[in-house]
Amino acid sequence: MQGTKIRVEPPGEKAKKIVEETQKYLSPSIQRNYPFVIKQGKGAILEDVDGNRYIDMNAGIAVLALGTAPDPVVKAIESQARKFIHYSYTDFYYENIVTLAKELIKITPGRFEKKVYYGNSGAEAVEAAIKLTRYHSKRPRFLAFIGAFHGRTMGAVSLTASKPAQVRGFSPLLSGVEHVPYPYCYRCPFHMSYPECNLYCVDYIKENLFQKYVPPDEVAAAFIEPIQGEGGYVVPPDGYFKKFFKLMKDNEIIVVDDEVQAGMGRTGKWFAIEHFGVEPDVILVAKALASGLPLSALVSRAELMSWPPGSHATTFGGNPVAVEAAIATIDTIRKMKLLDNAEKVGAYMMKRLKEIEEKHEIVGDVRGKGLMIGAEIVKNKKSKEPNPAGANKIVEYSWKHGVLLITAGISTLRFAPPLIITEDLAEKALDVIEEGIKEAGKN
Ligand SMILES: Cc1ncc(COP(=O)(O)O)c(C=O)c1O
């Protein structure tokens, strides 16, 4: 499959029928950007059920690092499925969970002893981290960030603070969670400017939480996203995490780095936190880990894993087929040098998007690392007023013209293509998206 091709205006007849039936038979709790109905795909090109072809800027929401249906992963899945599809690592043993654990220990930052726990989803890794850190520290509270997204199960959603709809109607949530401002310099919550601010947002935690109403010796863990994902692809400024980690260390608070969206090479390094020169105590991995099969991992400093047998487990976690897919994914990322590709194509996309930002009044801020890039759409550069209608128009225009892209945060275009994307395909996609920006800017 090559390039884009729109045969019928999407959604075509087949897509419409599937969407209608989905609405009739499935839970309405899911919010989608536009009715793209996939039939199949290869690499960074996808085909819908009406025969239209698209360039993929979503990677199934930062999951398909190797693109759709990558041969090495398909082969690994087939081969393992013939041997055994399941045999509960909660009660028995098999070898590949050890092979993958060793790989994860190798590629995650920190040259200290580590241990791995497997789950099925990002939220499950977050739940495990909540329980592990509470158990180990014997402390009840947590810190998380405004704008954070950590998942939708009861514990994970208590740490989440990115959209009211995610929490509305579900209280009471987990008690003891305090949210603090994320270092979102384009919209600094303190109306300060970096670097003159001296990273006041860290001092704020000390002066207003720790010295007033959140005894730090009651805080088990701080959950961070190294780059905020659902919150709008927000990149902290240099020095932020060094100062934040020091405050946590001074108070013996465990730092849990949620790399569910940013990890596995997306930013040009295995884990996004490596850009900031700090080493978290716990790292959470999911999404791209097994190229789309459900698998998550919690990789922790070994000494934190003091929870006893019987305290935490799951039937499907560490499923042997998903684990084989993960081993093949890591191997292929290495063989194809995809960290380098993410950096190279990411640099190209960033340059082009910065040029687009210069030219178009409704593009307020472009930021990112590697192939995790956000372009925030605003009413105009001076007011910086978020422009969700504009962002939605651009995304819809792109879809209708053969490029799959979604938003993050209130009005940010979210670029998260497969790590195998070429500069040529990225250029084609950006040509279409720039036309969409022009159109949206007319109103
Ligand atoms: C940073 C982060 N953490 C956790 C999750 C939850 O993962 P899942 O949807 O697999 O439960 C997500 C999902 O988008 C995420 O981006």
Side-chain angles (χ1 to χ4, degrees):
M1 277 192 251
Q2 308 155 340
T4 66
K5 188 171 133 200
I6 298 298
R7 291 177 57 240
V8 293
E9 185 180 344
E13 287 312 308
K14 284 191 187 157
K16 276 190 200 148
K17 181 150 191 292
I18 292 167
V19 169
E20 210 180 283
E21 294 204 318
T22 303
Q23 279 161 357
K24 185 163 176 207
Y25 295 112
L26 277 90
S27 162
S29 58
I30 290 153
Q31 189 174 32
R32 299 177 176 90
N33 273 235
Y34 45 85
F36 167 66
V37 182
I38 184 171
K39 181 181 176 201
Q40 58 186 352
K42 197 75 198 163
I45 302 291
L46 300 179
E47 188 182 316
D48 74 11
V49 284
D50 296 288
N52 296 314
R53 271 203 321 255
Y54 306 82
I55 300 172
D56 186 12
M57 283 284 138
N58 298 326
I61 319 308
V63 168
L64 307 166
L66 311 180
T68 293
D71 292 334
V73 175
V74 172
K75 217 169 123 203
I77 292 171
E78 273 175 6
S79 158
Q80 178 58 40
R82 287 207 170 81
K83 294 177 196 156
F84 64 104
I85 294 177
H86 169 80
Y87 215 77
S88 264
Y89 96 123
T90 51
D91 290 80
F92 303 100
Y93 298 85
Y94 41 90
E95 192 175 1
N96 67 8
I97 46 172
V98 183
T99 312
L100 178 60
K102 285 184 187 163
E103 283 287 18
L104 288 169
I105 286 167
K106 218 185 287 166
I107 64 174
T108 45
R111 290 296 136 242
F112 36 78
E113 269 188 59
K114 298 174 196 155
K115 280 188 194 288
V116 175
Y117 170 85
Y118 294 116
N120 301 286
S121 63
E124 267 189 42
V126 171
E127 294 295 333
I130 290 172
K131 287 177 71 177
L132 176 73
T133 55
R134 241 191 199 174
Y135 185 90
H136 181 79
S137 67
K138 302 191 172 47
R139 297 176 174 190
R141 298 177 189 249
F142 298 98
L143 292 186
F145 285 96
I146 296 170
F149 187 84
H150 295 289
R152 305 156 179 96
T153 49
M154 225 40 193
V157 86
S158 305
L159 300 173
T160 289
S162 94
K163 290 200 176 91
Q166 292 155 348
V167 289
R168 185 178 288 121
F170 298 128
S171 284
L173 303 177
L174 187 69
S175 64
V177 178
E178 299 292 339
H179 286 95
V180 296
Y182 198 72
Y184 187 176
C185 294
Y186 182 64
R187 297 187 184 282
C188 176
F190 302 105
H191 301 282
M192 292 181 174
S193 308
Y194 176 83
E196 295 77 36
C197 63
N198 282 326
L199 299 165
Y200 171 71
C201 41
V202 180
D203 300 330
Y204 171 87
I205 300 170
K206 188 170 165 183
E207 291 166 11
N208 289 282
L209 276 78
F210 292 173
Q211 292 175 0
K212 294 210 164 80
Y213 69 103
V214 182
D217 56 351
E218 287 194 0
V219 179
F223 283 73
I224 63 162
E225 285 171 277
I227 293 177
Q228 217 166 49
E230 302 301 306
Y233 279 29
V234 182
V235 185
D238 285 345
Y240 177 81
F241 279 125
K242 282 220 162 118
K243 189 164 172 178
F244 178 85
F245 272 57
K246 181 168 184 314
L247 179 62
M248 296 305 119
K249 191 156 187 249
D250 289 349
N251 291 286
E252 292 174 44
I253 296 169
I254 299 165
V255 179
V256 179
D257 172 24
D258 181 344
E259 296 262 357
V260 167
Q261 187 147 177
M264 294 303 293
R266 170 143 304 281
T267 65
K269 296 193 187 286
W270 278 110
F271 295 95
I273 199 69
E274 294 173 68
H275 290 281
F276 303 102
V278 286
E279 289 175 349
D281 305 301
V282 177
I283 293 192
L284 309 180
V285 198
K287 283 191 182 283
L289 175 58
S291 280
L293 287 199
L295 181 67
S296 60
L298 176 158
V299 185
S300 160
R301 279 184 188 273
E303 70 261 27
L304 301 184
M305 285 244 181
S306 53
W307 49 5
S311 58
H312 197 59
T314 160
T315 298
F316 290 122
N319 169 276
V321 181
V323 167
E324 281 303 311
I327 293 168
T329 301
I330 293 172
D331 185 50
T332 311
I333 290 176
R334 275 204 194 101
K335 282 193 180 132
M336 292 182 70
K337 298 192 171 28
L338 293 182
L339 304 189
D340 294 346
N341 195 58
E343 195 181 311
K344 187 179 124 242
V345 182
Y348 162 75
M349 288 182 65
M350 184 64 101
K351 182 169 169 281
R352 175 82 196 273
L353 281 163
K354 289 274 185 199
E355 286 161 15
I356 291 174
E357 178 188 350
E358 289 273 299
K359 274 195 273 175
H360 298 277
E361 187 58 23
I362 64 166
V363 182
D365 190 37
V366 171
R367 59 208 174 218
K369 299 241 181 242
L371 288 172
M372 183 168 190
I373 304 176
E376 188 156 338
I377 304 302
V378 292
K379 296 253 168 81
N380 59 66
K381 288 191 201 296
K382 188 155 182 282
S383 76
K384 294 186 180 179
E385 197 184 327
N387 184 354
N392 289 336
K393 252 187 212 152
I394 297 162
V395 159
E396 171 134 348
Y397 178 97
S398 303
W399 166 54
K400 298 238 176 205
H401 292 80
V403 177
L404 298 169
L405 178 74
I406 65 165
T407 56
I410 298 175
S411 61
T412 296
L413 305 179
R414 168 192 334 219
F415 295 87
L419 307 187
I420 47 120
I421 191 106
T422 59
E423 213 169 285
D424 182 46
L425 272 188
E427 184 182 5
K428 285 195 174 98
L430 286 170
D431 287 345
V432 170
I433 293 162
E434 185 167 8
E435 285 306 310
I437 290 171
K438 259 188 224 159
E439 282 297 310
K442 282 182 188 160
N443 306 314

